[in-house]
Amino acid sequence: MTPWSEMLRVAARLGVGPEAFWRLSLREWRMLTERPGRTAPIGREDLRRMTEAWPDD
């Protein structure tokens, strides 16, 4: 079950009004509520490019 009421309370604390809240994509919501310093995991394609650029010798 999605905790809509808690999500709306968080949005209100962040200054996001109800209309703007309901227009947010899931990705946008996650970006707004992500803790600072936390980064997304690296994707497979990014890892492949890095291993090509900096191979282990």
Side-chain angles (χ1 to χ4, degrees):
M1 182 173 214
T2 304
W4 295 115
S5 59
E6 177 60 25
M7 292 171 73
L8 280 167
R9 281 191 288 276
V10 171
R13 284 195 300 267
L14 294 172
V16 178
E19 288 183 25
F21 171 80
W22 292 111
R23 286 193 309 262
L24 290 172
S25 68
L26 182 55
R27 173 178 259 176
E28 291 168 327
W29 174 253
R30 287 180 177 156
M31 290 174 67
L32 282 173
T33 59
E34 188 175 83
R35 286 181 273 168
R38 190 172 171 201
T39 58
I42 189 169
R44 185 178 302 259
E45 185 60 24
D46 293 328
L47 179 61
R48 184 191 64 74
R49 284 193 302 257
M50 288 174 61
T51 56
E52 286 177 0
W54 299 287
D56 289 337
D57 292 325

